[in-house]
C-alpha cells in the first residue's frame, strides 16, 4: 500500500475530479490525502480520503471565499492582477508548507494538478515520484496551439501561428507574478530554473480528462501523456443536499439544461437571458445554480422562463435527458455532455473556458457565444440550431465513443500505479490515447 498526497488548486471542480481518482486508489488498497489551506477541507467529501490542512498562517480559515469571489468576478485589469497574485501566494504557501507535511505524513508519491506548480516542484525537490493530472485543458505547450485561456480557433497557417505566439507573450507578461513565484520557489528548493506551469509537469506520467478528438490537433505531446476522459466516481456517488434533483420532463417539447458551474452560479442576469431564450423556443429549462442564488432570485428566473430552478441537479441524468446544455464551458460539464451526446451552447466566462469553447466549435459538437454580450434572441437562434441540425449529434456520437473507450478513472488509477509504484498496468496504455 502506498500513501499518495494530492496537491491541487482550491477549486471545487478540481477537487471533485481528483477525489474520484482518490476514491479508486483507496479502493485498490492505497491511502490518499489532500493537502491545502483549511477552507478546502469541505471539498473532500469521501470519508475514506484524508485531508491535511496547511498554511493557516497566511491562508486562515474564512479567507477562501473572498479569493473565489475575486476569481469568479475579476473585473478589469486590476482585478485580474489580484487573481494572479492570489495564485502566486497559493503557490508560495504550498511550496513553503508541503515539505514538512509530506514528511510528517510519510507520503510516498504526489498526484499534482497541472494548474498548481507546487505539487511538481516540491515532489521533485524531495525526490518523490509524481504524476501530473490535467483536470482542466492541458497546459502542455506546443507551437501553433493556442493556450487554454485563449478564445482562438485553430488554423494551420502563418497568420494564426503569429497570433498564437503574440498572445502567448502577452499571457506570460500578465502572469509575471505567478511566473516569478514558480522561479523563486524552484531556486529556493534547489531545482533547475523554470517559470511556467508547463515546466513543472511529470516526466513519469501525465493524465488528462480530455480525449484527443476534443483538443486541437497535437503533434508534440510527450510519450508519457495519456488522454483518459472524465474522472468520475467508480463507486456509489455521494448524495448531498439536492444533488439528486431531476425534474419530470414532459415529452414533446425540447428540454434544455443550464449550469454555470460552482463559481459562476450567481450570475442571475445571464441565467435570465438563457431563460428568455428557452421561453422563445417553448423549451423546458432546468437551471442548476450550484448555490449561487437565493429563493427570491430563483422565483425571478422562473418568471423569466425557467421551468425548474435548483441548487444542484443530478447532472448526469439531466444531460442524458437534455436536448441541449447551456454551459460556461467548464471542463467537467463539457466532458459529461460529450459522454451523454448532448450538444453544447458554450458561454465562456474565465480561466480556460474560452479555449474550451473554441474546442467545442472545432470539434463540431456545439456553438459558442459571449456570456457578456449575447442577448436572449441570439441564444435562442443558436439553441434552435443545436436542436434541429443533425451534424452535432453525428459528431457527438463519434466523440462520445472515444470517451467511453478512454478508460476514465480506472485507467488513470492504473497509469498512476504503473508510473509511481512500478506496478504492472492491466489495461492497455495508448500513447497520447
Amino acid at each position: 500500500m502506498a500513501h499518495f498526497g494530492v496537491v491541487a488548486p482550491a477549486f471545487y471542480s478540481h477537487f471533485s475530479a481528483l477525489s474520484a481518482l482518490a476514491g479508486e486508489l483507496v479502493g485498490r488498497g492505497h491511502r490518499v490525502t489532500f493537502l491545502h489551506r483549511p477552507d478546502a477541507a469541505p471539498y473532500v467529501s469521501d470519508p475514506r480520503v484524508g485531508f491535511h490542512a496547511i498554511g493557516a498562517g497566511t491562508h486562515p480559515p474564512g479567507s477562501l471565499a473572498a479569493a473565489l469571489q475575486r476569481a469568479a468576478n475579476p473585473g478589469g485589469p486590476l482585478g485580474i492582477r489580484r487573481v494572479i497574485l492570489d495564485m502566486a501566494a497559493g503557490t508560495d504557501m504550498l511550496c513553503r508548507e508541503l515539505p514538512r507535511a509530506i514528511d510528517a505524513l510519510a507520503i510516498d508519491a504526489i498526484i499534482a494538478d497541472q494548474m498548481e506548480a507546487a505539487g511538481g516542484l516540491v515532489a521533485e525537490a524531495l525526490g518523490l515520484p509524481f504524476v501530473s493530472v490535467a483536470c482542466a485543458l492541458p497546459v502542455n505547450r506546443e507551437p501553433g496551439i493556442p493556450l487554454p485561456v485563449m478564445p482562438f480557433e485553430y488554423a494551420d497557417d502563418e497568420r494564426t501561428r503569429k497570433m498564437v505566439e503574440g498572445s502567448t507573450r502577452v499571457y506570460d507578461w500578465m502572469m509575471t507574478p505567478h511566473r516569478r513565484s514558480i522561479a523563486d520557489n524552484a531556486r529556493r528548493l534547489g531545482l533547475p530554473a523554470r517559470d511556467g506551469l508547463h515546466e513543472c509537469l511529470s516526466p513519469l506520467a501525465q493524465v488528462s480528462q480530455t480525449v484527443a478528438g476534443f483538443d486541437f490537433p497535437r503533434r508534440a505531446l510527450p510519450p508519457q501523456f495519456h488522454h483518459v476522459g472524465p474522472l468520475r466516481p467508480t463507486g456509489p456517488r455521494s448524495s448531498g443536499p439536492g444533488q439528486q434533483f431531476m425534474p419530470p420532463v414532459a415529452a414533446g417539447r425540447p428540454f434544455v439544461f443550464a449550469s454555470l458551474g460552482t463559481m459562476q452560479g450567481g450570475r442571475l442576469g445571464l441565467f435570465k437571458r438563457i431563460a428568455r431564450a428557452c421561453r422563445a423556443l417553448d423549451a423546458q429549462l432546468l437551471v442548476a445554480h450550484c448555490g449561487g442564488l437565493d429563493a427570491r432570485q430563483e422565483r425571478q428566473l422562473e418568471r423569466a422562463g425557467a421551468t425548474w430552478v435548483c441548487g444542484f441537479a443530478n447532472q448526469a441524468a439531466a444531460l442524458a435527458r437534455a436536448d441541449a446544455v447551456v454551459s460556461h464551458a467548464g471542463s467537467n460539464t463539457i466532458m459529461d455532455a460529450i459522454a451523454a451526446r448532448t450538444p453544447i451552447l458554450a458561454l465562456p466566462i474565465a480561466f480556460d473556458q474560452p479555449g474550451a469553447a473554441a474546442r467545442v466549435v472545432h470539434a463540431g459538437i456545439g456553438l459558442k457565444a459571449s456570456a457578456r454580450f449575447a442577448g436572449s434572441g441570439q441564444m435562442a437562434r443558436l439553441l434552435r440550431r443545436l436542436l434541429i441540425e443533425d451534424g452535432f449529434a453525428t459528431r457527438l456520437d463519434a466523440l462520445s465513443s472515444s470517451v467511453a473507450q478512454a478508460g476514465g478513472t480506472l485507467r488513470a488509477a492504473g497509469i498512476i500505479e504503473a508510473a509511481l509504484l512500478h506496478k504492472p498496468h492491466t489495461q492497455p496504455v495508448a500513447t497520447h490515447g
Side-chain angles (χ1 to χ4, degrees):
M1 181 184 79
H3 187 185
F4 296 105
V6 181
V7 181
F11 294 145
Y12 175 80
S13 60
H14 289 247
F15 269 61
S16 177
L18 290 167
S19 290
L21 181 56
E24 173 60 24
L25 290 168
V26 169
R28 297 184 181 204
H30 303 295
R31 182 183 174 193
V32 182
T33 302
F34 282 73
L35 302 100
H36 216 298
R37 60 197 294 168
D39 284 352
Y43 292 164
V44 181
S45 59
D46 188 333
R48 302 171 302 158
V49 177
F51 181 87
H52 182 79
I54 58 176
T58 54
H59 294 71
S63 62
L64 178 58
L68 293 178
Q69 181 64 26
R70 288 191 292 270
N73 300 278
L78 290 179
I80 293 173
R81 180 172 176 80
R82 181 60 207 169
V83 172
I84 295 169
L85 290 171
D86 285 342
M87 293 173 62
T91 296
D92 286 342
M93 180 274 287
L94 289 169
C95 285
R96 182 178 64 249
E97 301 283 349
L98 280 172
R100 287 193 300 273
I102 288 170
D103 182 62
L105 295 170
I107 286 173
D108 303 301
I110 298 294
I111 298 171
D113 191 303
Q114 278 198 354
M115 291 301 297
E116 177 47 70
L121 291 174
V122 172
E124 185 177 346
L126 296 179
L128 293 179
F130 72 100
V131 298
S132 303
V133 180
C135 294
L137 289 179
V139 302
N140 303 68
R141 293 195 180 185
E142 189 172 324
I145 301 296
L147 297 181
V149 298
M150 299 301 173
F152 309 137
E153 300 292 335
Y154 173 80
D156 190 11
D157 57 63
E158 186 62 25
R159 178 179 176 275
T160 301
R161 284 191 289 273
K162 288 183 178 179
M163 183 170 63
V164 170
E165 291 172 5
S167 66
T168 300
R169 287 194 295 271
V170 172
Y171 171 81
D172 285 342
W173 173 77
M174 291 181 62
M175 293 297 293
T176 295
H178 191 235
R179 291 172 52 231
R180 187 177 297 124
S181 169
I182 293 173
D184 289 348
N185 281 292
R187 183 169 52 252
R188 185 177 59 80
L189 291 167
L191 300 174
R194 64 199 70 184
D195 71 353
L197 290 171
H198 63 293
E199 296 177 333
C200 302
L201 305 180
S202 172
L204 300 176
Q206 300 173 22
V207 171
S208 171
Q209 280 206 101
T210 57
V211 291
F214 175 69
D215 202 353
F216 293 145
R218 293 278 196 165
R219 301 181 180 91
L221 287 172
Q224 71 271 23
F225 188 99
H226 309 281
H227 292 99
V228 302
L231 297 174
R232 301 294 178 264
T234 53
R237 292 176 180 264
S238 62
S239 55
Q243 288 183 346
Q244 297 304 312
F245 179 74
M246 179 63 197
V249 179
R253 292 172 57 204
F255 172 50
V256 176
F257 174 53
S259 172
L260 301 177
T262 53
M263 291 183 63
Q264 307 292 345
R267 292 180 178 269
L268 177 62
L270 179 54
F271 275 130
K272 282 184 175 180
R273 281 180 275 148
I274 296 169
R276 294 184 186 115
C278 288
R279 171 178 282 172
L281 297 173
D282 191 30
Q284 302 166 93
L285 172 65
L286 168 63
V287 170
H289 57 73
C290 301
L293 303 178
D294 58 30
R296 179 181 61 83
Q297 292 169 321
E298 290 183 343
R299 303 292 82 78
Q300 290 182 46
L301 269 185
E302 290 172 350
R303 289 193 294 271
T307 316
W308 306 278
V309 182
C310 66
F312 293 91
N314 183 330
Q315 179 158 294
L319 287 169
R321 178 61 180 81
D323 299 293
V325 59
V326 183
S327 166
H328 60 311
S331 293
N332 285 336
T333 304
I334 285 178
M335 296 311 297
D336 286 346
I338 292 172
R341 295 176 167 84
T342 306
I344 303 160
L345 174 55
L347 305 174
I349 298 170
F351 305 112
D352 68 335
Q353 295 158 19
R359 286 159 176 80
V360 164
V361 175
H362 177 79
I365 58 173
L367 301 168
K368 69 175 182 177
S370 169
R372 182 177 181 183
F373 297 113
S376 57
Q378 181 186 359
M379 290 185 193
R381 290 190 294 273
L382 295 174
L383 281 170
R384 184 177 290 109
R385 287 187 58 193
L386 296 178
L387 295 172
I388 66 175
E389 294 182 14
D390 294 335
F392 299 108
T394 301
R395 289 181 286 269
L396 276 163
D397 283 345
L399 205 52
S400 177
S401 296
S402 296
V403 169
Q405 296 167 14
T409 305
L410 292 174
R411 182 168 168 232
I415 290 169
I416 288 171
E417 287 185 319
L420 301 186
L421 308 178
H422 307 292
K423 182 177 179 179
H425 184 39
T426 57
Q427 290 181 308
V429 181
T431 300
H432 312 328

